[in-house]
Amino acid sequence: MTREIKKVVLLGANGTMGFGSGTLFTGADCEVHFLARTKAKAEEGLIAAKKLVRSNTVGNKVTLGSYDKDLEKSVANADLIFEAVAEDFQIKSEFYEKIDQCRRPDSIVATVSSGLSITKLAEPRSKSFQKHFLGLHYFNPPHVITGTEIILGKETDPTLIDFLIDWCAKNQQRVMVKTFDRPGFAGNRVGFKVLNEVAQLAEKYGPAYMDAIIGPYTGRAMAPLATIDLVGWDVHRAIVDNVIDNVTSESDEAFATYHMPEYMRDLLEDGTLGNKSGKGFFKRVEKEKFVLDIATGDYVPVSSVSVPKPAFIKEMKFLHNVGKYKEAMKIFAEAEGPEALIAQKVIGGYISYSFHRVGEVTEDITAIDMIMGMGFNWAPPSVLVDTIGLKETVAMMEKAKVLVPLALSKALSKNSKKPFFNHPQVNIGKFFVAK
């Protein structure tokens, strides 16, 4: 059977991941039916999609509709049903029940879920649904971030994976990474461990301090707390709570770092959602940037907050700027002082956690490297080991009291000179930002 994707139905078209993912399908020359609770909401999604990619041509391939009036007919004609509704198991399940009743036996059903179990989502549905259901996890914003996770459920037809990996790579220019059906999959499992850890530390040190200490100079496009504001505090809660609910302290050595701070839960209940609500750890009033005072819940000008500027960070930024990444990261690993120790513990913990997840969330460290590099725009853990140096990385981890992965200690004992990251199409310079 020759499979094609020409007609796509998109559920949740007015959400950020809905209309953002929609632009990828219109860009692949598919006819895309945007669905939402009302046709007006679907139109809001189309307007947002045009604004996102700064082109009205998106509209040439899009039709609009509502769930009540149009879902049954449009799903029956679709090659791919793409679900991007709220990250809530019950809400998704209710849509799947409707889809299962009217989809073609051969149509693909994909969810953009950021970490819910693919197997459990499909379990109550028909055998045909389970066979054609999978996770297709784009990262936000989808038109910019090329890394994409693809996840099989227990009953998913494995040939679908091969087809979609090829289709998405050719038609959407995706960097496809196959991950296991584990909470948070691979990218969010590793990434939100770091993000939530920094949110926990912010309660003691303050958001401005933490985003300065774990800033882009450590190998990321955006500082951690600014990233949570971009993602949304509600999405952050959904991801870390899903991990908490589905792993244990016995199976995950960093389990405690997934507990969302109470101050975040309280502010979230009061409407603090990050950028989409106009306030999170940071907010802007006209051109001035403000930062959250966690103790009071008020916002103060960032310019009024005293943030240490240790010499090692200034030196590293200069070296990144001239392309001397290895020299910069060695300075990082050997730096002394309280700020250096906090940063080394977080970054060393990121490397350690990534290597310890091999076999659980992916087959190998390369898959974790690729999704952290292309999905989060963070320096992949293996790239950090290679740039810092194996011996220096292990020494940094031991100083910061971070668990040293067996793969690193073994390589060190053998005096291995083989790099951990060796992908000829990836320029590692993109991960090291001089700011």
Side-chain angles (χ1 to χ4, degrees):
M1 169 184 166
T2 302
R3 183 179 286 280
E4 290 186 327
I5 297 178
K6 293 293 185 184
K7 294 183 178 180
V8 176
V9 175
L10 194 153
L11 283 68
N14 58 320
T16 302
M17 289 308 297
F19 64 75
S21 303
T23 66
L24 299 181
F25 290 109
T26 59
D29 203 28
C30 297
E31 296 175 21
V32 186
H33 199 168
F34 274 30
L35 294 184
R37 280 182 286 121
T38 64
K39 190 173 181 181
K41 287 287 182 185
E43 187 167 16
E44 287 178 14
L46 176 57
I47 293 169
K50 290 177 180 177
K51 185 178 179 182
L52 186 70
V53 297
R54 300 179 182 178
S55 172
N56 289 329
T57 58
V58 173
N60 297 340
K61 305 295 291 185
V62 171
T63 52
L64 305 172
S66 69
Y67 301 136
D68 287 343
K69 289 186 178 179
D70 304 290
L71 186 144
E72 185 174 342
K73 183 178 178 182
S74 58
V75 165
N77 292 322
D79 302 311
L80 171 68
I81 300 110
F82 188 81
E83 173 272 303
V85 302
E87 187 73 348
D88 180 282
F89 195 94
Q90 186 59 36
I91 292 173
K92 289 180 186 294
S93 292
E94 290 171 4
F95 276 105
Y96 297 155
E97 184 176 5
K98 295 175 183 174
I99 291 167
D100 201 10
Q101 293 170 0
C102 53
R103 59 175 282 274
R104 285 193 341 239
D106 65 331
S107 62
I108 301 170
V109 186
T111 176
V112 78
S113 172
S114 52
L116 297 177
S117 169
I118 301 304
T119 298
K120 288 182 179 176
L121 284 169
E123 253 173 11
R125 306 276 70 85
S126 68
K127 290 294 183 187
S128 172
F129 185 101
Q130 293 179 39
K131 183 179 177 183
H132 293 86
F133 183 70
L134 49 79
L136 191 58
H137 181 211
Y138 299 122
F139 285 72
N140 186 26
H143 71 298
V144 174
I145 307 295
T146 58
T148 302
E149 293 177 313
I150 190 163
I151 312 102
L152 288 83
K154 186 178 177 183
E155 303 298 333
T156 309
D157 180 354
T159 64
L160 283 186
I161 299 293
D162 296 334
F163 166 75
L164 274 175
I165 286 175
D166 184 60
W167 190 89
C168 292
K170 285 182 179 174
N171 295 282
Q172 297 180 332
Q173 293 73 54
R174 303 284 94 188
V175 177
M176 301 299 291
V177 176
K178 192 191 301 186
T179 71
F180 297 150
D181 187 17
R182 298 290 299 154
F185 309 135
N188 284 345
R189 181 69 175 276
V190 171
F192 278 78
K193 180 264 182 192
V194 176
L195 296 177
N196 202 59
E197 181 181 11
V198 174
Q200 291 176 346
L201 290 167
E203 190 163 14
K204 179 178 181 180
Y205 296 103
Y209 178 99
M210 287 310 304
D211 262 15
I213 296 303
I214 316 294
Y217 83 96
T218 60
R220 64 202 63 249
M222 183 180 286
L225 301 179
T227 301
I228 296 176
D229 280 351
L230 174 68
V231 170
W233 286 32
D234 53 338
V235 175
H236 180 91
R237 179 176 61 183
I239 292 170
V240 297
D241 283 358
N242 181 45
V243 176
I244 286 289
D245 290 343
N246 291 286
V247 302
T248 66
S249 57
E250 287 76 27
S251 64
D252 189 315
E253 73 282 3
F255 182 73
T257 59
Y258 283 102
H259 287 289
M260 187 175 179
E262 286 304 317
Y263 76 85
M264 285 187 72
R265 292 190 185 277
D266 292 343
L267 289 167
L268 186 55
E269 291 302 316
D270 289 338
T272 301
L273 298 174
N275 294 355
K276 58 184 142 183
S277 69
K279 61 178 182 178
F281 289 103
F282 302 95
K283 72 173 186 179
R284 285 191 179 275
V285 178
E286 296 180 346
K287 292 184 178 179
E288 186 164 11
K289 186 176 180 181
F290 291 76
V291 60
L292 174 68
D293 181 332
I294 293 173
T296 66
D298 296 330
Y299 287 84
V300 299
V302 169
S303 57
S304 70
V305 178
S306 177
V307 176
K309 297 178 181 177
F312 78 91
I313 295 180
K314 183 178 180 181
E315 198 173 351
M316 286 180 65
K317 289 178 179 177
F318 171 78
L319 291 169
H320 282 331
N321 196 40
V322 296
K324 294 187 175 182
Y325 315 120
K326 288 190 175 183
E327 290 86 343
M329 293 312 295
K330 282 187 177 175
I331 287 174
F332 176 80
E334 294 168 358
E336 299 289 345
E339 291 83 16
L341 190 57
I342 293 169
Q344 289 159 353
K345 188 172 181 60
V346 172
I347 300 305
Y350 162 58
I351 298 170
S352 171
Y353 192 70
S354 299
F355 275 89
H356 280 100
R357 299 282 76 70
V358 173
E360 180 186 354
V361 300
T362 60
E363 287 186 358
D364 53 37
I365 190 64
T366 300
I368 294 176
D369 284 332
M370 292 305 289
I371 202 60
M372 297 316 298
M374 301 304 169
F376 271 72
N377 266 340
W378 291 3
S382 293
V383 168
L384 288 174
V385 175
D386 290 342
T387 51
I388 292 172
L390 176 59
K391 181 181 176 183
E392 291 82 358
T393 300
V394 171
M396 180 186 77
M397 287 178 161
E398 290 174 339
K399 183 174 73 170
K401 296 183 170 49
V402 170
L403 196 59
V404 178
L406 191 59
L408 301 194
S409 56
K410 273 188 174 180
L412 186 60
S413 68
K414 294 178 180 176
N415 197 27
S416 172
K417 303 299 181 188
K418 184 180 177 182
F420 283 87
F421 188 81
N422 185 21
H423 197 297
Q425 295 178 328
V426 177
N427 176 4
I428 67 166
K430 68 174 284 186
F431 303 120
F432 297 104
V433 183
K435 67 176 183 178

